[in-house]
Structure formats: structure tokens, C-alpha cells
Amino acid sequence: VNKWFEVSAYPSESGLTVYFRDVTERNKTQEAILQSNDRFKKVSEATNDAIWDWDIISDTLFWGEGFKTLFGHEMKENQSSSFLWSKNIHPDDLDDVLASLFDVLETNSTNKWEKEYRYLRSNGTYAFVIDRGMAIRDAEGKATRMVGAMTDITHRKEYEESLKILNENLEKQAKDLAISNAELEQFAYVASHDLQEPLRMVTSFLTRLENKYDAQLDEKAHQYIHFAVDGAKRMRQIILDLLQFSRVGRHEDDLEVIEVQEIVAEVVTLQKKIIEEKQANISIGDLPTLQTFRSPLLQIFHNLISNALKYTQEGRPSFISITCYSTNTHWQFSVEDNGIGIEPEYCDQIFIIFQRLHQKEEYGGTGIGLAIVKKIIDNMGGKIWVESVPGEGSAFYFTLPK
Ligand code: ADP
């Protein structure tokens, strides 16, 4: 009949009395309990958490394996009480933990309990844990049992702590940087104003000297005065350049949607005279629309195109091409020329302020242009570099994030 029976036999004078009792249901229940216990044991072994089961009425606590692996404590099954758990809680956290636990057990408004606290390991150090429990109540709503799990979150806490320290350091550095930037700007401003005044004096008195004593001065004297005035003029230009460099990154205008094509066209118009003089051919590819600041973008193209028009190879028609292509994250622009080119060893140096590769008699300039371009592009989160073959031409590439 596919059933379980419990059979009892009683001898009597006339024979034997035999009782058969159907115990199929009882056996099934026992089997289910065994399976369920086994499942619970396996789960508590498998997880990294310390699983616990607290019988509140008898104050007995069952601990999973995790309690030993996480904290190193030996716990005998069903021999521990809640005191053995609570005595390892960090003294500073204990009151708070117990208060929150009893709040859940006694108020009956929720069955869920969750708390973060420090828990003593067997080696004397404290682990950060998050403990979550679920209260089980009897028909009257009294909490009779609670099951839960402790998770070791020490790594997370330490990571959070190190992130916090890192953030604080970064904030401090950013603040220091802002202060030193402001100081530098102030310095450049004061220097440019205060230095210009004595410079003007030098130039104007030299010119007066020249005018007043014209007849007494020989040609050598005139030449010396000319050199001195020229030096003062160059110094003025350097001061103005420095001021301009220090101002890069301070946006006085607003973010705009800008057709790069228009910016390039504007630069080309501004350079019309030199383009005609040099009979330069300028080809402009498809250029994107960007949301950015107008004047720095204009400065970038102005400097790169001016250089392409300045450093041309004599006796060769000049070709300049401006293109852009799109990567996943950036726009990559290029300004290419067929000019004099740059020796590979100077390809980094030219982006440093006041670094030039030529005498001013050969090609005019102060060596500020590319430094400004680089500072603008760095500020915008892009990169600039040059690829060049001496005698054949240069290609300046720069990227801007989309
Ligand atoms: P400047 O033109 O005033 O010297 P820049 O910072 O614009 O200053 O350029 C720095 C140096 O880089 C120049 O002196 C020149 O030697 C070199 N350079 C820049 N652009 C080009 C170019 N298109 N072709 C060749 N050399 C260039």
C-alpha cells in the first residue's frame, strides 16, 4: 500500500493482539525537517556571513560556521546565549545596538532589524559588521525567535575611510592650487602693470635723448639707442604675453554652441593679407559644432594657422589643411602645413612658454603662442602634439572631449 506502519504486538492468553498504526504522515514530516535542517546547515556553510538563529524564550543561540571563519570564535551549537554575542560588541556601540534590537522586538511595528557596529575578533581586533535579523512572533505578537546574519564589511569601511581621506587631500590640493593660481595671476598682473611704467620711461627718455642731441650723436650712438628701444619694446611684449598666458582658463564669456567652421573662417579672414602675400592655399574639411567657449577656441585656431602661415618654406607654394575626425569620446582636429617642419627633438619643447627655435630676425614672435594653445587645450581636457618631417611640413593635432 506504499505506507509506513508502526506495529505493536501484545501477547494475550489466547494469542497475540497486533496494532497497525499508519505513520506515513509523521515520517514524511520528520524527513522534511531533516532536509530543511540540512539545507540550513549547508547554506550557513556556503555563505561568508555568520548566520544565527536565536530562540528568545530559552535564550539559546545557534551560530553558523561563518562566526568562526569571520571572527575566529569557537561556538558550540545550542550552548551559546545572547550574552556570548553581545559581550563582543565594541563598548562604544553596545548601547545603541541593544536599543535598536529591543526596539524591533518590543514595538511589533516591524520585524526587520539592521545595524552596523564593531565586533571583537578572537585576535583582539575589531571587525566592522552589518547585522540583519528577522523577528518571528507568536499568535499574540510576542517575538519568540529571531534569525539573521552578520556580514563583515571591514574592507568596505576601510575603503570608504581611505576614499574619504583621499577626497579630503584632493580638496585641500585643489584649494591650494586655486590659491597659488590666484597668487600667480595677481603677480602677473602687478608685474605687467608695474614693470610697464619704468619701461615706458626708458623708451621715452631714450627717444628724447635721441631727438634733443641728434646733432651731437654719431651713427654708433644712434644704433645703440635703437637697440635699447627695441629691447624695451620686446620686453613690453613679453610682459603682455605673460599676462595673457596667466589669464588662460578664466572664461569671461559664456558657453556657446559654436560652428568650428565659422571660427576657422574668421581666422582666415583675419589673416587674409598674409594669405594673399604668401599665396597660401587653405583647405577646410568638415568641422563639427561644439558647445564651448568662443575666445579660447578662436585663440587655438588663430595661433596654429598663423604659425602655419609663418613657418613656410621659401620658394614653395604653401598648403594648409584643417580637418577633424570623430572618435568615441573626442574630436581630433589637425592643422597641417607643408612648411619648414620641426626637428623631432624639439617637438615637445615648442609647447613650453618662450621656447623658440629661431632668431627673431629670421621669424618674428616671442614663443608664447603654442604655450597658450596647450594651456587652453589642457584646461578643456584635451591633448596637443605635433608630427613633423623637417623640410616637408608639420601636422599639429589636438583633441577636445565631446
Ligand atoms: P612663436 O611663433 O612666437 O615663436 P609659438 O609658441 O607659436 O611661438 O611656436 C614656438 C616654436 O615652434 C616656433 O618658434 C617655431 O620654431 C615652432 N613652430 C610652431 N609652429 C610651427 C610650424 N607650423 N612649422 C614649423 N615650426 C613651427
Side-chain angles (χ1 to χ4, degrees):
V1 292
N2 203 18
K3 280 178 182 270
W4 285 95
F5 291 95
E6 192 179 85
V7 184
S8 320
Y10 302 95
S12 64
E13 274 171 31
S14 54
L16 199 66
T17 313
V18 181
Y19 293 94
F20 285 81
R21 197 198 309 177
D22 182 348
V23 291
T24 314
E25 273 314 304
R26 196 184 73 190
N27 276 9
K28 269 193 193 158
T29 313
Q30 270 174 0
E31 182 64 19
I33 289 172
L34 276 178
Q35 270 180 12
S36 160
N37 277 349
D38 192 44
R39 200 176 301 132
F40 179 63
K41 204 159 179 273
K42 292 233 161 64
V43 168
S44 60
E45 277 167 19
T47 172
N48 280 330
D49 296 348
I51 289 181
W52 49 267
D53 184 347
W54 178 31
D55 183 332
I56 299 172
I57 307 296
S58 64
D59 192 17
T60 45
L61 199 55
F62 164 83
W63 288 100
E65 269 298 294
F67 200 65
K68 193 176 157 201
T69 44
L70 286 187
F71 313 117
H73 297 303
E74 287 290 351
M75 281 286 200
K76 290 200 185 94
E77 234 175 88
N78 294 330
Q79 283 189 3
S80 41
S81 69
S82 57
F83 171 71
L84 288 170
W85 158 70
S86 62
K87 76 180 173 71
N88 289 325
I89 297 175
H90 193 289
D92 291 350
D93 299 341
L94 183 62
D95 289 348
D96 210 23
V97 173
L98 293 182
S100 74
L101 178 65
F102 288 117
D103 195 41
V104 170
L105 294 181
E106 280 157 20
T107 55
N108 204 2
S109 60
T110 176
N111 287 329
K112 278 190 182 165
W113 172 68
E114 182 176 317
K115 193 76 191 158
E116 280 185 26
Y117 55 89
R118 284 161 289 175
Y119 202 71
L120 188 65
R121 298 187 183 104
S122 64
N123 67 7
T125 61
Y126 278 93
F128 278 96
V129 298
I130 184 162
D131 203 349
R132 297 187 182 94
M134 184 79 162
I136 297 162
R137 298 179 192 277
D138 61 14
E140 280 88 50
K142 188 173 178 303
T144 54
R145 191 178 157 198
M146 200 173 197
V147 286
M150 285 164 83
T151 310
D152 189 341
I153 54 164
T154 311
H155 285 309
R156 197 185 86 193
K157 278 278 173 190
E158 282 170 357
Y159 182 62
E160 277 171 9
E161 194 56 30
S162 69
L163 265 189
K164 213 173 109 200
I165 292 171
L166 202 71
N167 250 343
E168 280 167 7
N169 284 344
L170 269 182
E171 260 169 39
K172 191 177 168 302
Q173 274 175 17
K175 216 159 137 195
D176 289 351
L177 209 65
I179 292 172
S180 85
N181 262 351
E183 279 172 358
L184 203 68
E185 227 173 79
Q186 179 88 2
F187 166 76
Y189 182 80
V190 169
S192 75
H193 271 250
D194 292 4
L195 285 179
Q196 280 199 60
E197 184 47 37
L199 258 185
R200 255 197 296 274
M201 294 258 288
V202 171
T203 320
S204 93
F205 279 98
L206 279 172
T207 318
R208 271 200 218 176
L209 184 77
E210 195 175 28
N211 291 342
K212 188 147 188 212
Y213 300 98
D214 191 15
Q216 283 116 296
L217 297 174
D218 63 4
E219 200 181 324
K220 238 322 93 30
H222 277 295
Q223 206 184 14
Y224 288 165
I225 290 174
H226 171 75
F227 285 152
V229 171
D230 187 51
K233 268 190 201 153
R234 273 190 292 133
M235 190 159 168
R236 181 171 181 274
Q237 190 54 50
I238 290 172
I239 291 167
L240 291 177
D241 285 350
L242 261 182
L243 190 60
Q244 199 191 357
F245 185 75
S246 77
R247 281 190 176 148
V248 170
R250 261 214 284 154
H251 302 300
E252 267 123 31
D253 44 358
D254 294 327
L255 264 183
E256 279 176 68
V257 175
I258 295 169
E259 301 273 352
V260 183
Q261 200 87 30
E262 273 176 25
I263 296 281
V264 173
E266 196 175 322
V267 174
V268 169
T269 312
L270 284 172
Q271 305 278 345
K272 205 166 166 216
K273 199 161 153 249
I274 183 160
I275 293 173
E276 276 166 11
E277 266 171 35
K278 297 229 171 180
Q279 295 184 332
N281 291 292
I282 302 192
S283 98
I284 303 169
D286 281 341
L287 301 176
T289 305
L290 305 180
Q291 191 180 30
T292 185
F293 298 101
R294 187 178 170 78
S295 52
L297 194 67
L298 192 71
Q299 259 179 315
I300 296 175
F301 280 105
H302 176 78
N303 280 307
L304 294 180
I305 295 173
S306 305
N307 279 348
L309 287 165
K310 182 164 43 164
Y311 299 102
T312 49
Q313 183 89 40
E314 211 147 313
R316 185 163 73 194
S318 152
F319 282 99
I320 297 169
S321 130
I322 298 145
T323 55
C324 178
Y325 94 93
S326 164
T327 73
N328 279 344
T329 52
H330 288 74
W331 296 107
Q332 183 176 312
F333 294 90
S334 70
V335 177
E336 285 176 62
D337 62 53
N338 63 340
I340 57 172
I342 301 160
E343 296 288 341
E345 63 263 39
Y346 299 121
C347 282
D348 290 330
Q349 193 182 316
I350 55 170
F351 295 102
I352 298 171
I353 188 167
F354 300 139
Q355 295 285 326
R356 315 198 61 230
L357 307 180
H358 306 277
Q359 295 297 322
K360 70 176 168 42
E361 291 76 21
E362 224 181 331
Y363 295 95
T366 54
I368 188 90
L370 289 180
I372 287 182
V373 170
K374 181 168 166 24
K375 197 173 168 196
I376 293 172
I377 292 168
D378 284 349
N379 271 344
M380 287 180 164
K383 274 200 180 102
I384 180 163
W385 68 99
V386 63
E387 286 170 14
S388 181
V389 180
E392 284 187 23
S394 317
F396 283 83
Y397 296 97
F398 67 94
T399 59
L400 294 178
K402 280 184 176 167

